[in-house]
Amino acid sequence: MTFVPPNLVPAYPEIFLLVALSALLIADLFIDETKRFLTYAYAQLALVGTAGFLLLGAMGQVVVTFNGSFVDDPLARTLKMISVLAVSFVLAYSRDYIQSRGLFKGEFFVLILFALLGVMVMISANHFLVMYLGLELLSLSLCALIALQRDSVIASEAAMKYFVLAALASGMLLYGLSMIYGATGSLQMAEVANTIAQGNADPGILVLGLVFMVAGLSFKMGVVPFHMWVPDVYEGAPTAVALFVTTAPKIGAFAFFMRLLAGAMGPMLPDWQSMLIIVAVLSMLLGNVTAIAQTNLKRMLAYSTISHMGFLLLGILSGTLGGYSAAMFYVVSYVLMSLAAFGMILLMSRDGFEADTLSDFKGLNKRSPWYAFMMLLIMISMAGIPVSAGFFAKLAVLSAALDAGLTWLVVFAVMMSLVGAFYYLRIIKLMYMDEPDDVTPLVGESDHRLLLSINGLTLLGLGILPQPLIDLCTASIAQSLRG
Amino acid sequence: MTFSAILTGAAGGVVTARNPVHAALFLVLAFFTASGLWLMLDAEFLAIALVLVYVGAVMVLFLFVVMMLNIDTERLRIGFWKHLPLGGGVALLMVIEMWLVVSGRQFSSMVEPTPESVSNTKQLGRLLYTDYVLSFELAAVILLVAIVAAIALTLRRRKDSKHIDPAEQVKVKASDRLRIVAMPVEKEL
């Protein structure tokens, strides 16, 4: 047995991020309480550096290193780039909010960067063990972030729920992985796929492992029946953290599904397809119907996330390259939409006031027409109405599912998205047709307002010209899975 | 065989011991015998790790906690007999399941005996630092996150602390404490 020293070049972005955030951890000790802005600027710089390393290595090829534990392919590059970008937006949106709530501390940034590192590790994992470690890195950082507001009872409750359920899901996932290891004798995704394809593994044990694996994955994605933590975390966590939870971790979860189900368990498509159909149907049904009854905007967005994840699964479960790239397009547009939606909530929140009930949006048009228009764009995008990114995302996953011959599922999904349109349109009605309770226009940091405008207009832009992003997704998926 | 008997006895002792400290000591005994069993199975690394980590660190910590918390043992015993049937049923179920699994067709693989010259500590170390170096480093990062998270969540400066900074005390000036007010001299009555 000879040992090949790992090729570190593909892992440069991760290595850079880890070094940068360790330096941040130490540097933060010496930064004066009044100059905390430096920490923020440093964190943003670290993200820019990571993005730079990602761009430097951008080549359309698949590199496997660390003895088959780490894979660097176009899919990984694209997803990492989007995660880094999303986290950068998250930091910019939440700066004002966390400053006014006493959370503007080094730990907030360090933990968010650690979580991002976890997501990046998950995206590039080519080995069950690495995947699991990346996941734990993410979960642990998230859990601490949710509980960061220690004096808030609902935040502690949310963190506790998340922690207990995450531990349970990790246990299930590990049990599933160990079953698959027992059946195939390998932890490496490609080898597992080969062994299964050759029929050298006991199908009974494989299916048993698969059930546990899908359950664990579903928890991470937050889909029914493993969704219980989602609304509580969205409502309980500080809005800035909730914003983070809806972005990078969802990309990580998507990568998780791609690597484990489409990659390692690819030959077992019929088995996991039927499991995902059940999960997707339940998510779309429960997410959309329950969201109607919510008066808290964050809770409503939580249920809408559940239904969005159901739609995302439609793309994955169709099991074709087209389906995967549709799902990827969906996750990217979802991240953009929820960034913008939470960015709005953060913009409207002030000192000691959370703009998280529906009535806070009453008559927004009279207060700040431009932001009302942004919210309009976000909402029609979430509802999937044409001339928005959300429309093309839904169209893509639905046509992928149709190609896979799941007509009844497509009909059901369309019906559910009609139900869902109600609560998105209700916000538009509140903004444009109701009288505001207070008429002061919105104030916010100029970078926050600028980024939010860019974010909202991107949704509109993708609704008019979705082709570049669709092409990018298709190319990444095609090169990575058949590379 | 002797080891197995002691192990089972010690495990029983953990549950039945009246004093929590005794229970913890029984658990230490159980760990020792388990590590002896592993030694006989040529798994010397696991045996050493069990003694070092569990007996050396975790159980000592446990003992401290048990001694400090001053647990009311009588209260813990309430309902022991009431819950016994349920607990016993679950235990029986697990024994049956384990027996089924171990005797099952799918998991009864033949284990080849390890040659005398192979040291599994050395093998494990070599694998850990070569093939699994990425996983190993990631585990280290997770530990770092755990430290950061634990400190971020628990460290707080008490507001009611009576601590006084001597430097501040020394630096105090008369004008901080004393206000000289110009008053007109009062007329004598």
Side-chain angles (χ1 to χ4, degrees), chain A residues 3 18 25 66-67 69-70 107 111 114 117 121 127 129-130 133 136-137 140-141 144 147-148 150-151 202 205, chain B residues 105-107 126-127 129-135 138-139 141-142 144-146 148-149 152-156:
Chain A
F3 169 59
L18 180 59
L25 201 53
F66 285 106
N67 193 40
S69 302
F70 185 96
E107 297 91 68
L111 286 173
F114 266 126
L117 184 68
V121 168
H127 193 276
L129 203 56
V130 175
L133 287 170
E136 283 305 298
L137 186 56
L140 202 58
S141 322
L148 207 55
R150 281 177 310 198
D151 300 325
D202 189 308
I205 302 182
Chain B
R105 164 181 59 88
Q106 282 146 344
F107 291 96
R126 179 171 292 160
L127 272 182
Y129 287 100
T130 54
D131 291 355
Y132 292 95
V133 66
L134 181 63
S135 317
L138 281 173
V141 175
I142 291 180
L144 180 61
V145 174
V148 173
L153 292 182
T154 53
L155 180 77
R156 61 171 80 204

Side-chain angles (χ1 to χ4, degrees), chain A residues 284-285 288-289 292 311 394 398 407-422:
Chain A
M284 287 188 285
L285 181 69
N288 279 320
V289 172
I292 293 175
F311 274 99
K394 280 210 168 67
L398 289 180
T407 317
W408 66 272
L409 192 58
V410 173
V411 173
F412 177 79
V414 170
M415 268 159 45
M416 280 303 124
S417 83
L418 280 180
V419 173
F422 166 75

Side-chain angles (χ1 to χ4, degrees), chain A residues 331-384:
Chain A
V331 79
V332 174
S333 10
Y334 169 74
V335 164
L336 281 174
M337 289 188 275
S338 71
L339 262 180
F342 276 93
M344 270 311 285
I345 300 181
L346 288 172
L347 183 69
M348 293 184 68
S349 300
R350 288 184 306 276
D351 249 344
F353 169 71
E354 303 269 340
D356 58 0
T357 60
L358 291 182
S359 57
D360 293 327
F361 281 81
K362 258 194 213 163
L364 186 64
N365 186 39
K366 295 217 172 62
R367 294 170 64 191
S368 302
W370 175 248
Y371 296 108
F373 176 62
M374 285 296 131
M375 196 64 188
L376 172 81
L377 286 182
I378 300 164
M379 286 300 133
I380 63 171
S381 189
M382 285 209 163

